[in-house]
Amino acid sequence: MVPFISISIFTFGFLLLFRCSSSSAEQQQFAIDGKVLELDESNFEAAISTFDYMFVDFYAPWCGHCKRLSPELDKASANLAVLKQPIVIAKVDADKYSRLASKYEIDGFPTLKIFMHGVPTDYYGPRKADLLVRFLKKFVAPDVSVLNSDSAISEFIEEAGKNFPIFIGFGLNESVISHLAVKYKKSAWFSVAKDFSDTTMEFYDFDKVPALVTLHLSYNEQSIFYGPFEEKFLEDYIKQSLLPLVLPINQDTLKSLKDDKRKIVLTIVEDEDDERSKRLVKLLKAAASANRDLVFAFVGFKQWQDFAESFEVSKKIKLPKMIVWDGDVEYFSVIGSDSVEDEDQGSQITRFLKGYRDGSVIQKHIISDDYKAFRNSMFLIGALILVLVVILVAMMMQAVKEEPSREQVDHPGSSTSLSEAREALRSGDKEEKID
């Protein structure tokens, strides 16, 4: 008879060996080697617990957008793995692993999320490998970078790139902006400069401290805030400065408006690339500086005709035309300001804004049917098509009918309507075309 204590020691040793082997296998399974991890329902939760930062592509094998994205993720993965704070890229076949898809509210392909310490955040940024790397590096950067020299300032700006606005607090204590830096980390870079030269003050055009300088490098814009630095005033300034003075509207920039509650002064021009339009945009920037409670934007009829036509604009309508849009289905025309003439456009912009603020407007709707009804009808049509396809396949294969899967549609169309654009504005474009 084997003594009980011997059995206990044997059992304990076996369990310890098994646990060590399992731990070693898990570490090996989730090694940071620059390759994209393929996860499923059995190891997903363990993976997001293992890594502080994990970027996840919820895809479907049949999705064309997903197929084009895959090589970009492969290229980005190697660069993200060698960061001081590495970011691991992983993929989940959300069409196959429906429980994971349901848990993380996946309703289109591809859906991209970054998990920071296990907490998911939707990703709507660029998808090309080089831009993806630069974009994601922001998530692992300090909430507020402390810059102690002119060279540190230059290096910070270079590293930040052009995809986000940059806030630099000259002579400002990091505690003043730390809370807001955390709140708006997804949307901007934040830093404070502790030591800098007069040359730097001259270069960034501020003459006293503290001063919060905002840079929009993509639009060659800069603004300066001298206070007051109480949180309410500071947050108002930061929120208003997340967008450039005048935003060019396209399928990508439209998503940046989804969290902004301000009304949009939209100017529709014939061609945003011609010189007349560029001169008008300069005047709109001056108006935007004095009216920060509004978002100013412009779109070219030539560049996005479908969008422009939603505001009763056609080739027969004289352009430029200004309206005020709520970002959804309503907009306002100002009485007596249907179009902007070539002469004295600055005064015409001023009259338009005054007319809007005075309530001299005509309220209009972009579409005759309620937007939600339109969206629901599109979902219904998609569901009916899916059911017909399932029935047809079942009849052809003479097999037992399988449980229907969730509706997922890959839209290959090259033209985007305003209804689709508004859906992107509300929930993010889940099937953004990779340029």
Side-chain angles (χ1 to χ4, degrees), residues 74 86 90 103 113 175 201 216 220 239 268 280 304 309 336 344 362 395 427 432:
D74 289 335
K103 179 176 180 179
K113 293 179 182 286
S175 63
M201 293 182 65
H216 278 280
N220 195 29
K239 286 194 299 185
I268 303 170
L280 178 58
W304 199 355
E309 286 178 343
D344 197 14
I362 300 174
M395 292 175 62
S427 60
E432 179 181 329

Side-chain angles (χ1 to χ4, degrees), residues 160-180:
K162 297 182 177 181
N163 292 300
F164 296 95
I166 301 170
F167 292 91
I168 308 175
F170 289 94
L172 201 62
N173 191 292
E174 59 264 36
S175 63
V176 175
I177 62 171
S178 58
H179 173 67
L180 294 174

Side-chain angles (χ1 to χ4, degrees), residues 79-270:
N79 292 323
L80 292 169
V82 297
L83 296 178
K84 186 176 181 180
Q85 287 277 5
I87 301 175
V88 175
I89 294 184
K91 300 171 67 175
V92 174
D93 184 345
D95 195 37
K96 180 178 181 180
Y97 300 108
S98 57
R99 283 186 297 177
L100 272 179
S102 177
K103 179 176 180 179
Y104 292 104
E105 300 180 344
I106 309 304
D107 58 5
F109 299 131
T111 292
L112 305 175
K113 293 179 182 286
I114 181 166
F115 287 77
M116 295 180 283
H117 304 286
V119 179
T121 299
D122 290 332
Y123 175 87
Y124 301 122
R127 300 183 180 187
K128 282 289 187 180
D130 55 341
L131 297 177
L132 177 65
V133 170
R134 177 167 283 188
F135 202 100
L136 288 178
K137 285 166 68 175
K138 180 178 186 317
F139 286 91
V140 300
D143 297 329
V144 181
S145 296
V146 179
L147 313 174
N148 293 309
S149 66
D150 288 354
S151 60
I153 296 170
S154 299
E155 290 169 6
F156 173 76
I157 293 173
E158 176 67 24
E159 184 71 17
K162 297 182 177 181
N163 292 300
F164 296 95
I166 301 170
F167 292 91
I168 308 175
F170 289 94
L172 201 62
N173 191 292
E174 59 264 36
S175 63
V176 175
I177 62 171
S178 58
H179 173 67
L180 294 174
V182 172
K183 185 174 182 178
Y184 294 101
K185 183 171 184 176
K186 293 190 298 181
S187 305
W189 291 92
F190 292 88
S191 66
V192 291
K194 296 289 189 180
D195 193 11
F196 47 89
S197 66
D198 292 341
T199 302
T200 292
M201 293 182 65
E202 183 178 348
F203 183 80
Y204 292 106
D205 198 28
F206 64 97
D207 55 10
K208 61 181 181 179
V209 293
L212 183 60
V213 173
T214 306
L215 305 175
H216 278 280
L217 299 181
S218 292
Y219 303 98
N220 195 29
E221 287 184 9
Q222 174 181 314
S223 62
I224 303 170
F225 179 70
Y226 289 112
F229 287 98
E230 286 81 1
E231 185 163 321
K232 178 187 182 303
F233 300 105
L234 183 58
E235 183 168 16
D236 284 346
Y237 171 76
I238 289 173
K239 286 194 299 185
Q240 293 170 1
S241 301
L242 292 175
L243 297 175
L245 286 173
V246 181
L247 182 71
I249 294 292
N250 55 49
Q251 295 166 8
D252 292 327
T253 61
L254 195 63
K255 293 190 291 295
S256 64
L257 291 171
K258 76 183 185 71
D259 293 325
D260 201 308
K261 306 304 181 185
R262 292 175 291 171
K263 294 291 193 297
I264 303 158
V265 178
L266 177 64
T267 302
I268 303 170
V269 299
E270 290 182 7

Side-chain angles (χ1 to χ4, degrees), residues 269-281:
V269 299
E270 290 182 7
D271 182 354
E272 61 188 44
D273 293 326
D274 68 30
E275 290 303 317
R276 289 183 302 171
S277 297
K278 291 178 179 179
R279 289 194 296 269
L280 178 58
V281 168

Side-chain angles (χ1 to χ4, degrees), residues 63-83:
C63 166
H65 296 286
C66 302
K67 293 175 182 177
R68 288 190 289 274
L69 176 62
S70 183
E72 300 296 329
L73 297 182
D74 289 335
K75 288 185 284 186
S77 184
N79 292 323
L80 292 169
V82 297
L83 296 178

